[in-house]
Short mmCIF file of all heavy atoms in Angstrom, two decimals:
data_model
loop_
_atom_site.label_atom_id
_atom_site.label_comp_id
_atom_site.label_asym_id
_atom_site.label_seq_id
_atom_site.Cartn_x
_atom_site.Cartn_y
_atom_site.Cartn_z
N LEU A 297 -17.95 4.72 0.38
CA LEU A 297 -17.31 4.77 -0.94
C LEU A 297 -18.25 5.36 -1.97
O LEU A 297 -17.87 6.25 -2.75
CB LEU A 297 -16.87 3.36 -1.35
CG LEU A 297 -16.26 3.25 -2.75
CD1 LEU A 297 -14.98 4.08 -2.86
CD2 LEU A 297 -15.98 1.78 -3.09
N GLN A 298 -19.51 4.91 -1.98
CA GLN A 298 -20.47 5.45 -2.93
C GLN A 298 -20.74 6.93 -2.68
O GLN A 298 -20.94 7.71 -3.61
CB GLN A 298 -21.78 4.65 -2.85
CG GLN A 298 -21.67 3.21 -3.31
CD GLN A 298 -21.14 3.09 -4.72
OE1 GLN A 298 -21.50 3.85 -5.62
NE2 GLN A 298 -20.23 2.14 -4.93
N LYS A 299 -20.72 7.32 -1.42
CA LYS A 299 -21.02 8.70 -1.06
C LYS A 299 -19.92 9.66 -1.52
O LYS A 299 -20.21 10.78 -1.97
CB LYS A 299 -21.19 8.80 0.46
CG LYS A 299 -21.51 10.19 0.98
CD LYS A 299 -21.71 10.17 2.49
CE LYS A 299 -22.09 11.56 3.03
NZ LYS A 299 -22.31 11.53 4.50
N TYR A 300 -18.68 9.22 -1.43
CA TYR A 300 -17.56 10.15 -1.64
C TYR A 300 -16.80 9.96 -2.96
O TYR A 300 -16.02 10.84 -3.33
CB TYR A 300 -16.56 10.02 -0.49
CG TYR A 300 -17.09 10.42 0.86
CD1 TYR A 300 -17.01 9.55 1.95
CD2 TYR A 300 -17.66 11.67 1.07
CE1 TYR A 300 -17.49 9.92 3.21
CE2 TYR A 300 -18.14 12.05 2.32
CZ TYR A 300 -18.05 11.17 3.38
OH TYR A 300 -18.52 11.54 4.61
N ARG A 301 -16.99 8.85 -3.65
CA ARG A 301 -16.11 8.54 -4.77
C ARG A 301 -16.17 9.57 -5.90
O ARG A 301 -15.19 9.73 -6.64
CB ARG A 301 -16.41 7.13 -5.30
CG ARG A 301 -17.76 6.97 -5.96
CD ARG A 301 -18.03 5.50 -6.31
NE ARG A 301 -16.93 4.92 -7.07
CZ ARG A 301 -16.81 3.61 -7.32
NH1 ARG A 301 -17.71 2.76 -6.85
NH2 ARG A 301 -15.81 3.17 -8.03
N ASN A 302 -17.30 10.24 -6.07
CA ASN A 302 -17.42 11.25 -7.12
C ASN A 302 -17.17 12.67 -6.63
O ASN A 302 -17.28 13.63 -7.40
CB ASN A 302 -18.79 11.16 -7.79
CG ASN A 302 -18.98 9.85 -8.52
OD1 ASN A 302 -18.06 9.34 -9.16
ND2 ASN A 302 -20.18 9.28 -8.44
N LYS A 303 -16.84 12.80 -5.34
CA LYS A 303 -16.56 14.11 -4.76
C LYS A 303 -15.09 14.31 -4.44
O LYS A 303 -14.60 15.43 -4.38
CB LYS A 303 -17.38 14.30 -3.48
CG LYS A 303 -18.88 14.28 -3.67
CD LYS A 303 -19.59 14.46 -2.33
CE LYS A 303 -21.09 14.41 -2.48
NZ LYS A 303 -21.79 14.52 -1.16
N TYR A 304 -14.39 13.20 -4.20
CA TYR A 304 -12.99 13.26 -3.76
C TYR A 304 -12.15 12.27 -4.56
O TYR A 304 -12.67 11.40 -5.25
CB TYR A 304 -12.88 12.91 -2.27
CG TYR A 304 -13.63 13.85 -1.36
CD1 TYR A 304 -14.92 13.54 -0.91
CD2 TYR A 304 -13.06 15.05 -0.93
CE1 TYR A 304 -15.62 14.39 -0.06
CE2 TYR A 304 -13.76 15.91 -0.09
CZ TYR A 304 -15.03 15.57 0.34
OH TYR A 304 -15.71 16.43 1.17
N THR A 306 -10.61 9.32 -4.05
CA THR A 306 -10.67 8.35 -2.97
C THR A 306 -10.93 6.95 -3.49
O THR A 306 -11.48 6.76 -4.58
CB THR A 306 -11.77 8.74 -1.96
OG1 THR A 306 -11.68 7.91 -0.81
CG2 THR A 306 -13.16 8.62 -2.56
N HIS A 513 -10.17 12.08 -9.49
CA HIS A 513 -11.12 11.03 -9.14
C HIS A 513 -10.54 9.68 -9.60
O HIS A 513 -9.77 9.63 -10.56
CB HIS A 513 -12.49 11.24 -9.80
CG HIS A 513 -13.24 12.41 -9.25
ND1 HIS A 513 -13.12 13.68 -9.77
CD2 HIS A 513 -14.10 12.52 -8.21
CE1 HIS A 513 -13.87 14.52 -9.08
NE2 HIS A 513 -14.48 13.84 -8.13
#
Side-chain angles (χ1 to χ4, degrees):
L297 176 62
Q298 293 304 318
K299 180 177 182 179
Y300 296 126
R301 67 187 308 169
N302 295 321
K303 298 179 181 178
Y304 299 96
T306 189
H513 291 90

